[in-house]
Amino acid sequence: MRTRMSRVVASGATLALAATLAACGNGSGGGSSNDGKIHVLVYGDSGNKVEKQIVDTFNKTSKVKAVLDTIPGADYQQKLQTIISTPQAPDIFFHWGGGSIKPFVKAGLLMPLDDFIKKDPNLDDKFLPTVYNSSVVDGKPYGVPMRGTQPVLLFSNKNVLAKAGVKQPQTWDELLDAVRKLKSSGVTPIALGGGDQWPTLMWFEYVYDRVAGPGLFQKALGGDKDAWASADSKKALGMLKELVDAGAFGKNYDSVKYTNGSSPALVAQGKAGFELMGSWYYSQQQTDAKDFAAKGLGYGPFPTIPAGKGDPSDVVGNTNNFYSVLKKTKHPEAVAEFLKLMYSDEFVKAQLAIGNLPTTTTTPRFLDKSASPEYSRFQYDLVAKAKTFQLSWDQAYPQTASTSMHQAVQQFFNGQLDEDGFIKAMQALPTE
């Protein structure tokens, strides 16, 4: 949950980014510290254990030493944007891909990794393309994956489903049928932490992809406001409304939150059948409801939608976290050597040991050593086979769009916005 929560904090922050970047002009004010070391800035959480290990490994052989700097989660995004155009900027920094780095690219602060890749093609080839591409901006690569992937899955309580005569749904019609049966059995069909807003967004991301394919969202992200008013968009909204009107989420979902453990508890305690959530949900249930996680927790891909334009293999979620490089780094050769460790066997094994799922092409060789081998293999195969991996909308869009986006999806679900109102709200989102 920590990585997702870091996204939420970053997405919800309202930052004066334009003012911050304006001070650096075309990147002339940017730079890294002048202490003869490379500084690696990361989000401060339990994942730092692996990051520290990798820094220690690098320092054993490198003449230019690396220093790991951390910023506590709630302050990360704001402090990054405060220092990135100053002499105190890091050489390498952690981010979420997508819209989170576009302003930095536009300001000329980041180094395209083309030259690094020419010298070492593994910096591209050793990672799953659907993940790697989340840090490509204007056709140029700006990031190397450095933690684990987090696809969104449809989780379930296997015992609740069995009592209602329901199986893990493979199609949209099966999902609707499951909703009816679960509702009749006296449980909430689908738990939803609507009070947090971002869990609701996951339903839009998947239904839009299944109905329209990834092209609609990419057009909208590129500034084509007509995409939100298209026939496919309206069809997706109609299907979402059908699900809500069928009572799939009960009546009180806006007063329930994921962040305080309420929605996962509904599933673990047998009060709900399903929950759509990122892959971190598995470890969350292991922490909060260990017996349930071991014996009763089910999971599967999002159902297919017949006649939809999206490939059934498509997934949405957090593709990974990434390292990007400041253009003004004084040690590009050392930085390139450091990035190579992100596809090393040591890195893969260390990430798997703390429950993360790296997206290197070598990961399958080590899945049996992960904290949950069967679950890790399911996730990896899902991501590896995906035609596209759509980054969460609130990460693909600039951070300034997140609050308005979250409000729009919440208000459409609870009836405060109709179809036209939702379309207008999405058309008004900034794309730059």
Side-chain angles (χ1 to χ4, degrees):
M1 186 177 70
R2 287 187 181 91
T3 303
R4 170 64 215 198
M5 289 312 302
S6 68
R7 276 196 59 237
V8 177
V9 170
S11 298
T14 303
L15 305 169
L17 180 57
T20 302
L21 297 181
C24 71
N26 291 321
S28 58
S32 57
S33 62
N34 197 26
D35 60 3
K37 301 175 181 178
I38 58 173
H39 284 258
V40 183
L41 182 65
V42 298
Y43 181 95
D45 65 5
S46 61
N48 299 152
K49 176 183 177 181
V50 175
E51 287 133 22
K52 185 178 185 303
Q53 176 183 333
I54 295 300
V55 164
D56 289 344
T57 296
F58 174 78
N59 286 340
K60 289 176 183 177
T61 58
S62 177
K63 291 182 180 179
V64 178
K65 303 304 180 184
V67 176
L68 187 70
D69 298 321
T70 63
I71 294 176
D75 301 321
Y76 182 82
Q77 196 82 335
Q78 187 168 8
K79 288 189 176 180
L80 170 64
Q81 296 186 63
T82 299
I83 66 172
I84 197 167
S85 59
T86 74
Q88 287 72 46
D91 298 84
I92 303 167
F93 68 94
F94 165 113
H95 63 83
W96 291 264
S100 66
I101 60 168
K102 284 182 180 178
F104 301 149
V105 173
K106 188 175 182 180
L109 294 175
L110 304 190
M111 178 188 294
L113 302 183
D114 306 70
D115 289 343
F116 286 1
I117 293 169
K118 285 179 184 177
K119 295 178 181 178
D120 179 17
N122 284 331
L123 284 172
D124 184 331
D125 295 343
K126 286 289 187 180
F127 300 94
L128 299 180
T130 52
V131 172
Y132 195 89
N133 290 340
S134 292
S135 206
V136 171
V137 179
D138 296 332
K140 290 184 174 293
Y142 284 92
V144 172
M146 49 74 67
R147 277 198 175 181
T149 188
Q150 296 175 326
V152 172
L153 310 174
L154 185 61
F155 291 90
S156 62
N157 184 315
K158 293 188 287 188
N159 297 325
V160 168
L161 266 56
K163 289 179 182 178
V166 169
K167 295 181 179 179
Q168 191 80 21
Q170 302 299 309
T171 67
W172 184 259
D173 287 342
E174 288 179 6
L175 177 63
L176 290 175
D177 183 60
V179 165
R180 289 189 287 269
K181 289 179 178 177
L182 288 165
K183 189 176 178 182
S184 296
S185 70
V187 300
T188 300
I190 305 170
L192 176 64
D196 288 319
Q197 298 179 324
W198 55 263
T200 310
L201 180 61
M202 296 175 179
W203 285 94
F204 286 78
E205 292 165 350
Y206 258 127
V207 173
Y208 264 81
D209 182 87
R210 292 289 189 263
V211 169
L216 187 152
F217 180 71
Q218 290 304 320
K219 287 179 181 177
L221 188 61
D224 183 355
K225 298 184 184 300
D226 290 339
W228 291 116
S230 67
D232 283 338
S233 177
K234 292 178 180 178
K235 179 181 177 181
L237 291 175
M239 296 181 75
L240 287 165
K241 188 173 188 304
E242 179 184 19
L243 194 62
V244 174
D245 289 349
F249 307 100
K251 297 180 179 180
N252 302 315
Y253 50 85
D254 269 349
S255 62
V256 177
K257 291 188 174 184
Y258 178 85
T259 51
N260 63 10
S262 294
S263 61
L266 290 175
V267 178
Q269 295 169 10
K271 297 177 181 178
F274 297 103
E275 184 161 17
L276 187 67
M277 188 51 61
S279 58
W280 60 84
Y281 190 79
Y282 192 91
S283 60
Q284 181 69 29
Q285 290 288 13
Q286 284 181 317
T287 300
D288 296 345
K290 190 173 182 179
D291 288 344
F292 167 68
K295 302 174 183 177
L297 181 60
Y299 49 86
F302 194 82
T304 63
I305 293 179
K309 297 176 182 177
D311 193 281
S313 71
D314 289 353
V315 294
V316 306
N318 300 346
T319 54
N320 210 312
N321 294 112
F322 298 83
Y323 275 144
S324 280
V325 180
L326 201 75
K327 184 181 288 185
K328 294 289 185 177
T329 181
K330 297 173 177 64
H331 307 287
E333 295 85 2
V335 166
E337 290 302 313
F338 179 81
L339 293 179
K340 290 179 181 180
L341 292 174
M342 297 309 108
Y343 62 77
S344 68
D345 290 354
E346 178 188 0
F347 168 83
V348 173
K349 288 187 284 188
Q351 291 290 351
L352 287 169
I354 64 168
N356 286 341
L357 183 64
T359 50
T360 68
T361 56
T362 60
T363 297
R365 290 198 282 119
F366 305 103
L367 289 178
D368 290 341
K369 299 183 184 299
S370 75
S372 305
E374 183 180 353
Y375 181 62
S376 294
R377 190 167 295 281
F378 171 81
Q379 279 189 81
Y380 187 87
D381 288 345
L382 192 74
V383 173
K385 294 175 182 177
K387 287 291 195 308
T388 62
F389 192 148
Q390 173 59 61
L391 182 62
S392 301
W393 289 3
D394 53 358
Q395 281 301 106
Y397 264 80
Q399 301 304 307
T400 51
S402 294
T403 298
S404 297
M405 180 187 295
H406 289 163
Q407 290 175 345
V409 301
Q410 181 183 49
Q411 290 173 356
F412 181 79
F413 255 47
N414 65 28
Q416 289 179 270
L417 282 181
D418 60 11
E419 182 182 279
D420 289 339
F422 176 82
I423 290 170
K424 289 178 181 177
M426 297 302 283
Q427 289 175 327
L429 296 177
T431 56
E432 295 289 341

